[in-house]
């Protein structure tokens, strides 16, 4: 969602801030703005629309070596020029950019209005600019401290003030804020992607921290009392090219094709062939802890929820522990009973999804143990959990999750293996699964190599206004994920159903205009699945069947997509890969912006 970038140094700040903002576009936004401090004080430019529109319309005189910028995803008030950040005080001296939500902004706006302040936007953030301006403190840090003492909510923020032109003050509570150290220049950002081309020496603020950033360095302190926290910067191990689409026409395409490599990274060092088990040190659970687990509850949103369902099936099959997945966005609202012998697993690519984070907090508040399956190291969910498994997928830029999702599945497979091997899973079965996991990256590559064969079928599917994705048991979450990918990037109505439920309702919709993508692996349900295909075919419903070699579809008229077989428990991920390709090529055929689908954001940091 929203993004923050700031710069101080010898160079002109605006172009660097705008470049950083452009690098955050994938997070989703609807307006952008930048403020710089120059010789003549604070200058501001902001508008709804794209970063490049803002760059094109920047006033001629916009020089300054200190600057902050923002991409906004509308929450409080529509995406208008006035609501875009930075927000300024009445005198035009203070500028603030903010990610997060201030819960008491309505009361603060009313109090400011009563005090005679004229507010010029509908946003919660604007109150911060006025509060900073009205503080009696004689330092910028003190003014920001006073403002933050009045607000309740979440924030990552950056503040500049014309009376303190040598600094940016930043603060964090629940929304990431990174400080980047360059050569006599400094950066601030909400996401490493914005600054990684300039520096990989960074410090990440913790919740409750504030920092003063000048061209020469930075100092961190608690924002409650400005006492020093003494944080220093360190080198992060990140490849800047991971944030570049390279020769690919989109990040999604690049990230799909990276899956064989990233899948290997998820497994590296974690498979114990001798004992047929997995090693997951980050879980921080010994054999006794693992044996004490009586139930597993997986919490995630969107695709992370669907892969959580795949994970629950794996855990139940391999470890024979009851397991299920639930949408994290609903979890806390039903006042869940938290059981001490249940292992809660939060799954998230970004590690920032607010619904998942709040679900973790609900579990922990009630005394439950929650571990994380998270891609972004050091992210809010990773920190909030009792332990976890990092996914090692590398940065995922496209909104539609592909390589991270695959690694989530692998993370669940490793967890299931470990839980199984301290129970009844035999060493032979453990070794069988390890061999299967080791084969997977090659098999994923094999499916991806068939990409060109899928283009035409994807184009045909793109012509339908509405389509079904169906599967059973292991195949059902795959169908849900396939429908999700398809709808989010092609904007076609795609609905997932259990194949067995078809004739209890949706069959009424089957017609020559409504295609069905069916998952028919070579498992014990294959015959039942094929019977359902006949029912669809008899009603002239076009069919695309993702299946294995040797599955007999009989007389059914269908376009077959054959994927390699692995161990049956691991098949779901191989069935998922062609569905990514179908969604991708359908969206491409429709000429859509694949990496930035309308209305969606990469990290959903607001409720
Ligand atoms: C789908 C997609 C979303 C995310 C969901 C959770 O392709 O990307 O449905 O899976 O918003 O995001 P994370 O995994 O960051 O918690």
């Amino acid at each position: 969602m929203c993004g923050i970038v700031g710069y101080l140094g010898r160079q002109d700040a605006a172009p660097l801030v705008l470049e950083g903002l452009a690098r955050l576009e994938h997070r989703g936004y609807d307006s952008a703005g930048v403020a710089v401090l120059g010789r003549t004080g604070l200058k501001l430019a902001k508008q709804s629309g794209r970063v490049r529109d803002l760059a094109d319309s920047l006033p001629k005189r916009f020089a300054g070596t200190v600057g902050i910028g923002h991409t906004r995803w509308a929450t409080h008030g529509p995406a208008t020029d006035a609501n875009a950040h930075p927000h300024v005080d009445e005198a035009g001296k203070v500028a603030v950019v903010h990610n997060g939500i201030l819960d008491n902004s309505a009361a603060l706006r009313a109090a400011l209005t009563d005090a005679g302040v004229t507010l010029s936007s509908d946003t919660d953030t604007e109150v911060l600019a006025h509060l900073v301006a009205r503080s009696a403190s004689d330092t910028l840090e003190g003014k920001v401290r006073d403002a933050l003492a009045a607000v309740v909510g979440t924030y990552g923020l950056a503040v500049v003030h014309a009376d303190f032109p040598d600094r940016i003050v930043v603060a964090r509570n629940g929304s990431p804020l990174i400080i980047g150290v360059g050569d006599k220049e400094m950066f601030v950002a909400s996401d490493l992607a914005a600054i990684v081309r300039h520096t990989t020496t960074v410090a990440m603020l913790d919740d409750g921290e504030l920092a003063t950033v000048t061209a020469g360095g930075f100092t961190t302190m608690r924002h409650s009392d400005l006492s020093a926290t003494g944080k220093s910067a360190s080198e992060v191990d990140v490849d800047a090219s991971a944030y570049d689409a390279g020769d690919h026409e989109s990040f999604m395409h690049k990230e799909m094709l990276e899956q064989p490599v990233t899948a290997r990274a998820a497994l590296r060092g974690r498979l114990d062939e001798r004992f047929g088990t997995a090693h997951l040190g980050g879980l921080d659970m010994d054999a006794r802890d693992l044996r004490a687990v009586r139930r597993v509850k997986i919490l995630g949103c969107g695709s992370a929820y669907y892969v959580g369902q795949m994970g629950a099936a794996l855990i139940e099959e391999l470890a024979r522990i009851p397991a299920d997945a639930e949408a994290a966005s609903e979890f806390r609202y039903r006042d869940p009973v938290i059981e001490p012998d249940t292992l809660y697993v939060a799954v998230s690519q970004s590690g920032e999804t607010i619904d998942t984070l709040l679900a973790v907090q609900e579990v922990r508040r009630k005394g439950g143990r929650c571990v994380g399956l998270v891609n972004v190291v050091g992210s809010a969910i990773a920190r909030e959990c009792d332990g976890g498994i990092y996914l090692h997928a590398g940065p995922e830029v496209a909104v539609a999750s592909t390589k991270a999702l695959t690694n989530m599945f692998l993370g669940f497979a490793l967890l299931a293996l470990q839980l199984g091997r301290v129970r009844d899973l035999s060493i032979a079965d453990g070794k069988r699964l390890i061999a299967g996991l080791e084969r997977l990256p090659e098999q994923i590559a094999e499916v991806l190599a068939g990409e060109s064969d899928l283009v035409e079928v994807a184009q045909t599917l793109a012509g339908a206004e509405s389509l079904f994705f169906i599967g059973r048991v292991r195949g059902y979450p795959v169908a849900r994920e396939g429908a999700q990918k398809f709808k989010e990037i092609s904007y076609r109505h795609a609905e997932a159903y259990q194949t067995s439920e078809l004739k209890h309702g949706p069959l009424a919709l089957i017609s020559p205009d409504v295609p069905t993508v069916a998952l028919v692996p070579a498992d014990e349900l294959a015959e039942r699945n094929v019977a359902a295909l006949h029912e669809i075919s008899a009603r002239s419903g076009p069919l695309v069947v993702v299946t294995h070699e040797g599955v007999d579809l009989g007389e059914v008229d269908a376009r077959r997509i054959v994927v390699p077989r692995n161990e049956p428990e691991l098949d779901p991920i191989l069935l998922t890969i062609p569905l990514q390709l179908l969604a991708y090529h359908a969206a491409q055929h429709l000429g859509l912006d694949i990496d930035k689908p309308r209305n969606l954001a990469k990290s959903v940091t607001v409720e």
Side-chain angles (χ1 to χ4, degrees):
M1 289 185 145
C2 308
I4 290 175
V5 184
Y7 172 82
L8 312 89
R10 285 177 297 194
Q11 303 188 61
D12 213 7
L16 286 158
V17 169
L18 289 168
E19 182 219 307
L21 292 180
R23 308 246 176 238
L24 297 184
E25 284 193 306
H26 64 279
R27 293 176 61 92
Y29 73 106
D30 39 44
S31 53
V34 56
V36 294
L37 285 175
R39 270 200 288 266
T40 53
L42 186 78
K43 298 186 194 73
L44 177 70
K46 56 179 189 163
Q47 61 186 52
S48 63
R50 295 281 174 197
V51 172
R52 62 174 172 273
D53 302 328
L54 174 68
D56 290 346
S57 62
L58 226 49
K60 281 215 166 44
R61 291 173 199 283
F62 207 75
T65 54
V66 178
I68 55 174
H70 191 261
T71 44
R72 171 176 187 256
W73 196 86
T75 54
H76 288 64
T80 58
D81 295 354
N83 287 340
H85 299 209
H87 288 286
V88 294
D89 67 316
E90 284 180 301
K93 283 187 158 190
V94 179
V96 179
V97 291
H98 162 228
N99 290 352
I101 290 203
L102 304 182
D103 299 329
N104 62 341
S105 65
L108 291 171
R109 286 175 68 92
L112 285 164
T113 307
D114 287 349
V117 174
T118 308
L119 291 145
S120 51
S121 77
D122 310 316
T123 66
D124 52 344
T125 302
E126 188 187 345
V127 302
L128 284 169
H130 298 297
L131 291 172
V132 170
R134 291 166 71 83
S135 159
S137 174
D138 51 11
T139 64
L140 183 53
E141 295 73 10
K143 288 177 188 296
V144 175
R145 174 205 56 208
D146 292 349
L148 294 182
V151 303
V152 176
T154 54
Y155 44 83
L157 56 86
V159 184
V160 292
H161 193 308
D163 293 345
F164 304 90
D166 66 333
R167 63 195 55 208
I168 299 177
V169 170
V170 290
R172 169 187 166 132
N173 185 40
S175 195
L177 211 296
I178 300 169
I179 300 169
V181 180
D183 182 14
K184 299 199 182 68
E185 59 184 3
M186 298 287 291
F187 300 84
V188 299
S190 53
D191 189 316
L192 196 55
I195 58 174
V196 74
R197 264 161 211 78
H198 303 287
T199 179
T200 50
T201 308
V202 301
M204 299 194 189
L205 287 195
D206 283 312
D207 283 347
E209 264 185 329
L210 174 150
T212 304
V213 187
T214 63
F218 70 96
T219 28
T220 57
M221 52 206 96
R222 285 177 196 86
H223 58 56
S224 50
D225 59 5
L226 304 186
S227 58
T229 56
K231 189 160 272 174
S232 55
S234 56
E235 199 56 32
V236 283
D237 181 17
V238 59
D239 174 8
S241 71
Y243 295 96
D244 240 309
D247 293 338
H248 296 269
E249 65 243 345
S250 68
F251 277 100
M252 182 178 173
H253 194 252
K254 177 181 181 235
E255 289 160 6
M256 282 192 299
L257 293 199
E258 277 173 358
Q259 289 178 105
V261 174
T262 49
R264 267 185 213 107
L267 300 174
R268 191 165 301 130
R270 288 169 162 175
L271 296 176
D272 179 340
E273 292 176 28
R274 186 155 163 239
F275 293 105
T277 187
H279 289 303
L280 298 166
L283 273 188
D284 210 12
M285 291 173 78
D286 61 20
R288 184 199 294 243
D289 296 329
L290 291 167
R291 263 196 301 272
V293 173
R294 290 276 157 268
R295 181 182 291 278
V296 176
K297 165 72 83 183
I298 297 163
L299 299 164
C301 294
S303 290
Y305 163 40
Y306 304 140
V307 75
Q309 288 192 309
M310 297 183 209
L314 264 166
I315 291 167
E316 209 158 280
E317 282 186 82
L318 297 182
R320 304 306 297 151
I321 310 173
D324 73 335
E326 181 171 341
S329 48
E330 287 288 286
F331 182 69
R332 67 191 181 283
Y333 290 109
R334 63 173 183 81
D335 194 14
V337 176
I338 301 300
E339 298 159 313
D341 50 6
T342 293
L343 178 64
Y344 295 85
V345 184
V347 56
S348 174
Q349 187 289 126
S350 60
E352 281 181 48
T353 303
I354 192 78
D355 286 317
T356 311
L357 179 63
L358 293 174
V360 175
Q361 289 172 350
E362 179 75 12
V363 170
R364 301 200 66 221
R365 187 176 303 116
K366 292 179 171 173
R369 182 202 286 262
C370 191
V371 297
L373 244 73
V374 175
N375 195 37
V376 177
V377 175
S379 54
I381 293 171
R383 292 191 215 199
E384 192 73 33
C385 284
D386 294 297
I389 305 171
Y390 277 123
L391 301 175
H392 299 308
E396 190 177 69
V397 175
V399 165
S401 184
T402 54
K403 61 176 182 170
L405 181 123
T406 295
N407 281 16
M408 287 172 185
F409 180 86
L410 297 174
F412 283 122
L414 295 168
L415 178 62
L417 197 54
Q418 205 179 30
L419 285 167
R421 287 290 292 127
V422 294
R423 294 183 167 70
D424 289 338
L425 188 75
S426 69
I427 190 162
D429 265 335
K431 287 184 174 184
R432 171 178 70 79
L433 281 150
I434 287 186
L437 285 167
E438 281 169 339
R439 283 199 304 279
L440 264 180
E442 256 326 295
Q443 292 180 314
I444 293 173
E446 208 180 303
V447 181
L448 291 167
E451 179 180 4
S452 55
D453 299 338
L454 300 185
V455 175
E456 203 189 310
V457 57
Q459 292 176 349
T460 311
L461 292 178
E465 281 304 321
S466 196
L467 54 161
F468 282 114
F469 285 72
I470 58 170
R472 287 190 78 168
V473 189
R474 288 188 202 113
Y476 176 54
V478 178
R480 296 189 86 184
E481 169 54 15
Q484 164 95 339
K485 274 301 88 89
F486 208 90
K487 75 181 83 153
E488 57 180 352
I489 60 171
S490 77
Y491 313 153
R492 294 302 190 226
H493 170 236
E495 202 173 336
Y497 254 97
Q498 284 109 332
T499 311
S500 50
E501 282 289 299
L502 262 195
K503 52 180 175 301
H504 298 293
L507 203 55
L509 291 174
I510 296 295
S511 76
D513 302 327
V514 181
T516 300
V517 179
L519 298 151
V520 186
D523 61 13
E524 57 287 357
L525 288 167
E527 241 174 73
R528 301 284 351 118
N529 279 325
V530 172
L533 301 187
H534 277 103
E535 288 162 8
I536 294 168
S537 218
R539 284 148 188 93
S540 309
L543 271 164
V544 175
V545 182
V546 184
T547 186
H548 291 134
E549 202 60 64
V551 173
D552 182 5
L553 301 186
E555 300 300 298
V556 170
D557 179 19
R559 170 70 167 84
R560 280 168 74 106
I561 298 171
V562 176
V563 297
R565 286 184 78 166
N566 196 296
E567 299 306 324
E569 298 91 336
L570 302 177
D571 279 335
I573 202 60
L574 289 167
L575 296 165
T576 303
I577 309 288
L579 304 188
Q580 299 173 347
L581 293 166
L582 288 179
Y584 178 81
H585 284 287
Q588 203 198 35
H589 182 63
L590 294 167
L592 299 169
D593 187 347
I594 292 177
D595 286 337
K596 297 190 276 290
R598 71 181 179 207
N599 305 338
L600 298 181
K602 184 66 182 162
S603 304
V604 184
T605 51
V606 293
E607 280 191 68

